[in-house]
């Protein structure tokens, strides 16, 4: 896995499943992160080959729920992101998926209560010894590249010092969301503080925050000196943001996403959530299309909705 000069799809819960990752890659994403999966959940799963659709599934024993799905088409670029607060547990969980992905990433930036309350995500930012333990344990025992994604700390100096400690664990790269834990998405990303980290490290730094147009990829690289750029909301709202040819019409993007969701038998809840996020940014869920998506109970229902509203344009 090469982390320099890459366009990267960020990990997004309920969004970053196989169809959306393949969609982003089709438009130009070089590296695609899956949604965060908690180690506890992974330990209840087993790996299965799905010959019906040609995928590799990580399935929860007992419930038969597909927790993670991938395929050979993305094996060279998909990153499995894990939520964890324990090195041994992280290693055991990573061993289930590491042969089927290009890299394993540890989430150290999620500020949500479900993650922080379990000692995961942004809670790790104040525990450098635990960070070291988790990353070195994975690095010593796996051949798969290891990375992590963090947020800014209270001061630029603190962020740089933490990043230096992370670099010493031997990780292949570090992604930095240019916001602090208390910041909200509407708060401007602090690109200048990523630049401080880039100057201090020799490993690739992936810059993340306020990327909404294709031109923003070069803008943030110029402002920070980062090796690569990661986009979340900008890709969710229109995955063709990765394309140097310019954004495709949203209807075409939604249609291709639904097609891939059907092809790869995506979870209906995930598909509906992703479509609703696309719609609400550009329109409203109170309009007929939004209401129809909300009422849909199957992928076939979703496909019918997309067909009808495409024909009406």
């Amino acid at each position: 896995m090469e982390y320099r000069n890459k366009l990267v799809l960020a990990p997004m819960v309920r969004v970053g499943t196989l169809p959306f990752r393949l969609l982003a890659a089709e438009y130009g994403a070089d590296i695609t992160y899956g949604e965060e999966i908690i180690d506890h959940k992974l330990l209840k799963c087993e790996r299965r080959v799905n010959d019906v659709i040609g995928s590799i599934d990580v399935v929860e024993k007992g419930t038969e729920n597909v927790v993670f799905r991938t395929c050979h088409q993305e094996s060279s670029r998909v990153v499995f992101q894990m939520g964890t607060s324990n090195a041994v547990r992280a290693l055991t969980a990573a061993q289930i998926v590491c042969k089927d992905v290009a890299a394993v990433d540890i989430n150290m930036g999620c500020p949500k209560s479900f993650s922080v309350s379990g000692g995961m995500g942004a809670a790790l930012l104040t525990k450098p010894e635990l960070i070291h333990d988790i990353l070195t344990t994975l690095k010593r025992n796996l051949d798969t590249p290891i990375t992590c994604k963090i947020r800014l700390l209270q001061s630029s100096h603190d962020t740089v010092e933490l990043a230096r400690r992370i670099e010493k664990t031997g990780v292949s790269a570090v992604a930095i969301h240019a916001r602090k834990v208390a910041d909200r998405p509407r708060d401007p990303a602090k690109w200048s503080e990523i630049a401080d980290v880039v100057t201090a490290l020799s490993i690739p730094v992936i810059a993340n925050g306020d990327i909404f147009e294709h031109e923003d990829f070069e803008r943030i690289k110029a402002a920070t000196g980062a090796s690569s750029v990661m986009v979340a909301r900008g890709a969710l709202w229109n995955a063709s943001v990765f394309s140097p040819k310019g954004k495709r019409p949203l209807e075409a993007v939604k249609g291709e996403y639904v097609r891939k969701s059907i092809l790869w038998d995506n979870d209906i809840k995930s598909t509906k959530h992703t479509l609703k996020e696309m719609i609400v940014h550009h329109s409203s869920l109170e309009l007929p299309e939004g209401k129809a998506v909300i009422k849909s109970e199957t992928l076939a229902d979703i496909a019918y909705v997309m067909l009808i509203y495409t024909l009406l344009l």
Side-chain angles (χ1 to χ4, degrees):
M1 175 72 94
E2 173 57 52
Y3 287 95
R4 298 187 187 278
N5 297 313
K6 302 298 182 183
L7 306 184
V8 185
L9 175 68
M12 290 183 279
V13 174
R14 292 190 289 172
V15 174
T17 55
L18 179 58
F20 197 82
R21 297 196 303 268
L22 293 176
L23 182 70
E26 186 174 289
Y27 288 128
D30 302 300
I31 299 173
T32 53
Y33 281 58
E35 60 177 336
E36 177 194 23
I37 306 295
I38 305 302
D39 55 4
H40 287 290
K41 171 71 78 173
L42 207 55
L43 293 178
K44 300 176 183 177
C45 299
E46 63 182 9
R47 177 188 184 274
R48 297 182 190 172
V49 176
N50 186 333
D51 292 321
V52 177
I53 61 174
S55 66
I56 299 165
D57 297 344
V58 177
V59 181
E60 185 176 20
K61 290 176 282 188
T63 68
E64 298 300 300
N65 292 331
V66 177
V67 172
F68 177 72
R69 171 168 285 162
T70 185
C71 64
H72 295 300
Q73 293 96 307
E74 67 166 4
S75 61
S76 64
R77 63 174 175 267
V78 62
V79 177
F80 183 88
Q81 192 187 61
M82 185 191 307
T84 187
S85 60
N86 179 276
V88 175
R89 196 166 60 237
L91 175 60
T92 305
Q95 288 171 330
I96 298 172
V97 298
C98 64
K99 300 298 183 181
D100 299 309
V101 298
V104 172
D105 183 85
I106 301 301
N107 182 349
M108 300 182 182
C110 180
K112 303 293 186 181
S113 58
F114 77 88
S115 187
V116 175
S117 62
M120 302 175 290
L124 291 172
L125 296 175
T126 59
K127 301 175 181 178
E129 292 81 10
L130 180 54
I131 288 177
H132 181 272
D133 190 22
I134 293 171
L135 295 178
T136 54
T137 297
L138 293 174
K139 184 67 181 174
R140 288 170 182 167
N141 292 280
L142 300 177
D143 293 328
T144 309
I146 304 300
T147 61
C148 65
K149 185 171 185 284
I150 67 172
R151 281 183 175 244
L152 300 174
L153 300 185
Q154 286 305 306
S155 73
S156 181
H157 174 269
D158 290 342
T159 307
V160 168
E161 288 306 304
L162 177 62
R164 282 174 170 158
R165 295 188 69 161
I166 289 172
E167 181 178 41
K168 290 179 181 177
T169 67
V171 295
S172 299
V174 58
I176 305 177
H177 185 167
R179 289 183 175 87
K180 299 176 182 179
V181 174
D183 290 341
R184 301 277 66 86
R186 63 179 177 272
D187 297 319
K190 302 172 178 65
W191 289 1
S192 63
E193 295 193 33
I194 293 181
D196 295 335
V197 177
V198 171
T199 302
L201 301 191
S202 59
I203 61 172
V205 172
I206 305 170
N208 172 223
D210 287 355
I211 309 298
F212 302 113
E213 304 294 337
H214 192 80
E215 295 75 17
D216 292 336
F217 288 117
E218 289 305 318
R219 287 182 56 239
I220 193 171
K221 286 185 72 175
T224 65
S227 301
S228 296
V229 182
M230 174 182 282
V231 57
R233 289 177 296 159
L236 170 58
W237 296 335
N238 190 324
S240 63
V241 68
F242 290 104
S243 174
K245 298 178 181 179
K247 289 182 182 178
R248 295 286 314 282
L250 184 61
E251 296 308 315
V253 175
K254 289 189 295 186
E256 184 58 24
Y257 171 67
V258 171
R259 191 186 74 82
K260 284 179 166 52
S261 292
I262 294 171
L263 181 65
W264 295 102
D265 193 24
N266 198 45
D267 177 68
I268 181 64
K269 292 180 181 178
S270 167
T271 302
K272 286 178 64 174
H273 171 78
T274 303
L275 282 173
K276 287 191 294 183
E277 289 294 319
M278 292 181 189
I279 293 169
V280 76
H281 177 69
H282 297 276
S283 178
S284 170
L285 293 175
E286 296 303 314
L287 294 177
E289 182 189 23
K291 289 181 177 180
V293 168
I294 291 172
K295 291 180 180 178
S296 296
E297 297 181 355
T298 66
L299 290 175
D301 292 341
I302 292 285
Y304 181 74
V305 170
M306 291 298 106
L307 175 62
I308 293 298
Y309 284 94
T310 298
L311 291 175
L312 289 176
L313 289 179

